[in-house]
Amino acid sequence: MIFVDGHLSSTDSSASPQGRDILVALLEHPALVEASASFKAIPERRFSVREESVMEATPPGKWVYLFQREYATVDPAFVDFVGTDEATTCIGVAIRNPRNGMTSVAHMDSPNIVDMGLSQMLSLLVDHNKDMELDHGNYNTTSESQENMDGYSFPLGAKIVETLWKRPEKFHIRTLCILGHNTRRDPEGNAYPNFNGFMVGTSNGSITPAIFDKTSRCPDEVVRRIRVSVSYKDPSWKGKLLETYDTQTDRFKIAPCCWTLQQLHFALSLQRYSDSEILIMCSTSPSAENPDFVANMRRHWDYLIKHPDWRETFPMKQPRIFERTAEGGWRKPQGADTLISRSF
């Protein structure tokens, strides 16, 4: 069930509306229109790790960062904030249990992962009262208004709200800054998101526009990026969000994902293209990508070329473990003394 401004949400259609009808009604709801405007008025925060601290007007804290198709459920006793960015046609979802502050965030990229993905997110959140708070992340570059139902983001958004509508839990939507609410256009007519990331403060559930960099998109940046692309071919991850973080131990447990020689051949082939060609070939929204998009893709392919056998990365098909340091950063266990505060 979906609630807005304390009231059960309704549409003008049948008792069992389709996702597109639910989404249009929510996007037009005055309370959510106002919430989107308020969200866009918040200055975007930039997170960068320098000398084991989060700087740039942001207090030091313990964070969890998520890449595309990943999710994490965090305990406020261990984590100060959780966030994601680099979203253009994806949608970020944050769900928080207001009774205990437990918060789950996901970076969703396809309608095919919504059903199981939401169940994964809720597995550690739902209590007996089943009363949740919901915040939606804020991404669309394909449409300036909800009337245009083409592109990548609308079907994904429609699937998310339809699934929430049908579930027994009570979801109180606080923010829905997606599609037209988060789209701007340049003089040439190219569409961009106003923001492509957010951060949730676990102590109070506040949501803030955010952008991270290579030092705060950690740990294990390159391997986690590779998982995003190869998971589509790995049957063990069909319909699922990628498991990344262990809530109970406050450790990153980067679940294994396998790749084949086909991915190696793709990497060797794609490395030959120019930056502009890679941008067009590998992005669903070339005009809206971050400046480091191509560089990140090239590092991804370099790793696959150097490590064509996935078992080198995940020996015995075991997860890659990173534990938190006293300063809040990340490092490998068993006496490793190198802080994981930037990509490698």
Side-chain angles (χ1 to χ4, degrees):
M1 294 180 284
I2 290 178
F3 288 75
V4 179
D5 204 22
H7 302 285
L8 183 65
S9 179
S10 62
T11 69
D12 295 331
S13 59
S14 66
S16 299
Q18 298 297 309
R20 58 191 290 168
D21 301 318
I22 301 169
L23 182 55
V24 169
L26 290 172
L27 288 167
E28 294 175 348
H29 194 290
L32 295 180
V33 172
E34 182 179 355
S36 292
S38 298
F39 180 78
K40 289 185 286 188
I42 301 173
E44 183 179 63
R45 289 191 173 185
R46 295 178 177 268
F47 291 92
S48 182
V49 179
R50 297 286 185 268
E51 297 180 357
E52 292 77 65
S53 296
V54 180
M55 305 296 288
E56 300 190 20
T58 304
K62 298 178 180 180
W63 81 101
V64 168
Y65 176 82
L66 299 167
F67 286 97
Q68 180 177 335
R69 211 178 181 88
E70 292 184 341
Y71 86 102
T73 301
V74 303
D75 187 332
F78 299 137
V79 179
D80 298 311
F81 61 86
V82 54
T84 187
D85 70 346
E86 298 189 311
T88 53
T89 57
C90 298
I91 292 179
V93 179
I95 307 175
R96 181 174 183 267
N97 186 327
R99 292 180 175 81
N100 56 24
M102 294 283 285
T103 303
S104 191
V105 171
H107 186 136
M108 294 193 174
D109 61 358
S110 167
N112 297 330
I113 62 170
V114 170
D115 286 324
M116 195 173 299
L118 284 172
S119 294
Q120 290 173 277
M121 295 177 71
L122 292 168
S123 62
L124 294 177
L125 288 184
V126 176
D127 56 26
H128 295 298
N129 293 303
K130 295 185 177 180
D131 197 6
M132 301 289 106
E133 289 183 3
L134 171 66
D135 276 297
H136 270 224
N138 44 336
Y139 320 116
N140 176 57
T141 63
T142 59
S143 169
E144 204 168 38
S145 67
Q146 55 265 34
E147 284 77 18
N148 185 344
M149 299 180 185
D150 297 326
Y152 295 92
S153 299
F154 195 97
L156 175 57
K159 178 64 176 177
I160 291 170
V161 298
E162 181 176 20
T163 304
L164 296 175
W165 180 284
K166 292 179 178 178
R167 290 189 65 100
E169 301 87 359
K170 297 177 182 179
F171 296 96
H172 299 268
I173 297 188
R174 312 297 186 189
T175 309
L176 188 65
C177 191
I178 63 172
L179 298 165
H181 293 321
N182 189 44
T183 301
R184 61 183 176 85
R185 292 186 181 274
D186 65 16
E188 286 73 40
N190 296 313
Y192 300 85
N194 291 297
F195 304 104
N196 68 6
F198 66 85
M199 175 273 290
V200 179
T202 59
S203 64
N204 58 11
S206 63
I207 184 167
T208 305
I211 187 169
F212 298 77
D213 67 8
K214 286 199 300 182
T215 68
S216 54
R217 293 178 189 135
C218 63
D220 220 13
E221 178 202 356
V222 173
V223 169
R224 290 166 66 189
R225 289 186 185 277
I226 289 171
R227 288 199 317 165
V228 175
S229 61
V230 302
S231 63
Y232 295 97
K233 297 290 186 178
D234 187 338
S236 65
W237 290 111
K238 184 177 180 180
K240 297 180 182 179
L241 292 168
L242 295 169
E243 295 174 359
T244 301
Y245 170 83
D246 186 87
T247 307
Q248 307 300 330
T249 62
D250 187 34
R251 297 195 302 175
F252 268 87
K253 293 180 67 173
I254 300 166
C257 193
C258 62
W259 51 86
T260 67
L261 288 178
Q262 184 181 41
Q263 274 88 29
L264 171 62
H265 295 152
F266 283 152
L268 289 167
S269 174
L270 290 167
Q271 279 288 42
R272 301 190 182 103
Y273 288 95
S274 67
D275 287 2
S276 59
E277 290 171 324
I278 290 172
L279 187 61
I280 293 171
M281 294 168 61
C282 298
S283 172
T284 58
S285 51
S287 63
E289 295 293 355
N290 290 334
D292 59 355
F293 175 84
V294 174
N296 290 334
M297 294 301 301
R298 290 194 184 280
R299 290 189 297 121
H300 166 164
W301 297 328
D302 281 340
Y303 187 97
L304 287 174
I305 292 168
K306 293 176 183 177
H307 305 278
D309 188 343
W310 65 271
R311 289 167 291 192
E312 296 177 19
T313 303
F314 296 101
M316 305 295 293
K317 209 170 185 178
Q318 294 301 302
R320 291 165 67 87
I321 305 296
F322 294 84
E323 62 185 14
R324 197 183 293 280
T325 68
E327 296 79 14
W330 300 99
R331 68 182 173 192
K332 291 182 179 179
Q334 299 178 341
D337 57 2
T338 301
L339 292 177
I340 310 300
S341 60
R342 49 180 54 86
S343 62
F344 64 94

